[in-house]
Amino acid sequence: MIEVTNLTKRYGETVAVDDISFSVPTGQVLGFLGPNGAGKTTSVRIITCYMPPTSGTVTVDGLDVVEQSMEVRKKIGYLPESAPLYPDMDVIEYLEYILALRGGPKSERRRRIKQVVEMCGLGDVIARGIGELSKGFRQRVGLAQAMIHNPEILVLDEPTVGLDPNQIVEIRNLIKALGRQKTVILCSHILPEVEATCDHVMIIDRGKIVANGTPETLQHSLSGKTVVNVEINQKPDTVRGALMSIDGVEDLKTYPVNGTTRCELVCRQGLDPREAIFHKVVENRWVLLEMKQEVSSLEDVFRELTKGGRDE
Ligand code: ADP
């Protein structure tokens, strides 16, 4: 579980990340979406211990990314926008080298490399020089280095940039498969990419989070439906029926978080269900920990994201 609290990063006068807070539950594939310059890379560099924040905190499984960075690094695999590859090395040499750097029992290394080579579809190029590979294969090697130490979390920054359409599909499928086993943060400025691979989406624009929800919620926000996020100190099964019975609630998604439940309610257009939610919670003697109606400044961002066409 990744917990980001009041994170800010300034580069001189530029505020790249402006007081953002969010959490990523274990097992989620989070799409971190935003136009170029929005602050995605800066945020993930802080989460992956590449640089410290100006203020705010990030913890990974309770470990602070500044104070306990060596521990955090073991849990995270990071594929930066341009993968840190050595073109003169063979694929196998390179993977052996990276795994040796990251440690782990020597007896396990051969087996681990074999697994990763298989997962990333590198079997045919294992003895080739990295410099000779196509961009798609180099990206696979980048993914392989990110996951070689079997981290619980994978952070991928624009992994399909510069690939041709076939390579894009292959890398997206690979990410989807990885998402079944790991927590993934995928940075992208391509909306369809996030829709195709992620189960949760966060949109960032000029350093601020402007939307946070499932791809479906995003669609609803764009279609003018009201979306309300609440957190209640109960289990999902306990709250679901009661919340769905509120007049105008059309859809409900629930996520268990440390003994409480986060709920996303999608409501009929023009309806403000907050009072009804409050009464429902009181009636059941639950505790309302948080309630927030999503205000949609999404349309601007959406236009910004899609103005270059649906894909590239
Ligand atoms: P994204 O990944 O969403 O494209 P970035 O995090 O790279 O966004 O950039 C956010 C903002 O911070 C941009 O205005 C960018 O110009 C600025 N920025 C990023 N890195 C640096 C840096 N090393 N020095 C100064 N400004 C930077």
Side-chain angles (χ1 to χ4, degrees):
M1 155 89 122
I2 303 169
E3 198 73 55
V4 174
T5 314
N6 303 115
L7 186 68
T8 296
K9 180 74 186 183
R10 289 197 193 88
Y11 299 107
E13 294 286 290
T14 309
V15 184
V17 176
D18 192 0
D19 193 21
I20 64 172
S21 299
F22 62 93
S23 52
V24 190
T26 305
Q28 185 170 85
V29 181
L30 172 71
F32 204 23
L33 187 68
N36 287 322
K40 303 179 296 292
T41 299
T42 301
S43 305
V44 297
R45 280 193 184 148
I46 296 169
I47 294 171
T48 52
C49 310
Y50 268 60
M51 65 184 174
T54 306
S55 60
T57 55
V58 179
T59 59
V60 175
D61 281 345
L63 301 165
D64 186 279
V65 295
V66 178
E67 305 291 331
Q68 290 151 300
S69 100
M70 290 318 282
E71 289 305 304
V72 173
R73 280 164 209 244
K74 286 184 193 153
K75 291 177 179 286
I76 296 188
Y78 178 35
L79 175 62
E81 205 174 333
S82 11
L85 303 175
Y86 295 105
D88 294 337
M89 280 185 169
D90 295 347
V91 172
I92 183 75
E93 240 179 350
Y94 172 72
L95 293 179
E96 279 168 357
Y97 170 67
I98 296 289
L99 185 56
L101 279 182
R102 303 229 175 111
K106 267 195 180 139
S107 54
E108 295 277 305
R109 288 186 194 163
R110 200 164 285 274
R111 200 168 57 89
R112 180 64 196 156
I113 288 176
K114 198 163 166 252
Q115 264 175 358
V116 172
V117 162
E118 214 161 276
M119 280 175 96
C120 297
L122 288 168
D124 291 342
V125 297
I126 196 161
R128 299 260 303 269
I130 291 174
E132 301 167 19
L133 298 179
S134 67
K135 183 129 205 300
F137 269 107
R138 281 210 296 273
Q139 203 62 347
R140 285 172 192 231
V141 178
L143 256 179
Q145 72 73 30
M147 54 195 274
I148 194 90
H149 55 304
N150 204 8
E152 296 152 44
I153 301 164
L154 273 175
V155 179
L156 313 173
D157 196 353
E158 304 276 7
T160 61
V161 160
L163 302 186
D164 70 34
N166 288 332
Q167 294 167 335
I168 288 177
V169 171
E170 280 175 21
I171 294 286
R172 284 183 192 165
N173 286 342
L174 188 54
I175 295 168
K176 252 196 201 156
L178 291 172
R180 286 195 272 275
Q181 303 158 19
K182 299 193 183 289
T183 305
V184 178
I185 299 181
L186 168 73
C187 296
S188 177
H189 67 286
I190 305 165
L191 186 65
E193 171 152 295
V194 166
E195 281 174 340
T197 41
C198 300
D199 45 45
H200 202 92
V201 182
M202 210 167 66
I203 300 191
I204 181 170
D205 186 36
R206 279 162 276 182
K208 291 263 188 209
I209 295 171
V210 294
N212 193 351
T214 58
E216 295 86 20
T217 306
L218 227 70
Q219 294 288 344
H220 289 310
S221 306
L222 285 164
S223 67
K225 301 221 172 180
T226 310
V227 179
V228 178
N229 283 310
V230 297
E231 186 172 347
I232 298 172
N233 75 330
Q234 299 289 324
K235 298 241 159 61
D237 287 346
T238 317
V239 300
R240 211 170 278 130
L243 293 178
M244 276 307 282
S245 73
I246 294 171
D247 185 36
V249 172
E250 294 180 347
D251 193 18
L252 171 68
K253 294 243 153 42
T254 52
Y255 309 93
V257 181
N258 292 340
T260 75
T261 299
R262 282 209 193 134
C263 316
E264 272 180 19
L265 294 96
V266 177
C267 311
R268 211 169 40 229
Q269 193 163 359
L271 187 95
D272 182 349
R274 286 175 296 178
E275 253 188 75
I277 295 170
F278 176 80
H279 288 306
K280 193 59 87 179
V281 169
V282 172
E283 195 182 296
N284 285 284
R285 302 176 142 262
W286 301 329
V287 177
L288 186 62
L289 298 164
E290 195 178 312
M291 174 150 69
K292 190 159 164 259
Q293 184 161 336
E294 294 302 326
V295 196
S296 178
S297 59
L298 260 182
E299 271 188 55
D300 288 348
V301 183
F302 186 81
R303 244 180 269 125
E304 182 75 21
L305 285 168
T306 49
K307 71 182 177 198
R310 285 291 287 172
D311 214 329
E312 54 194 56

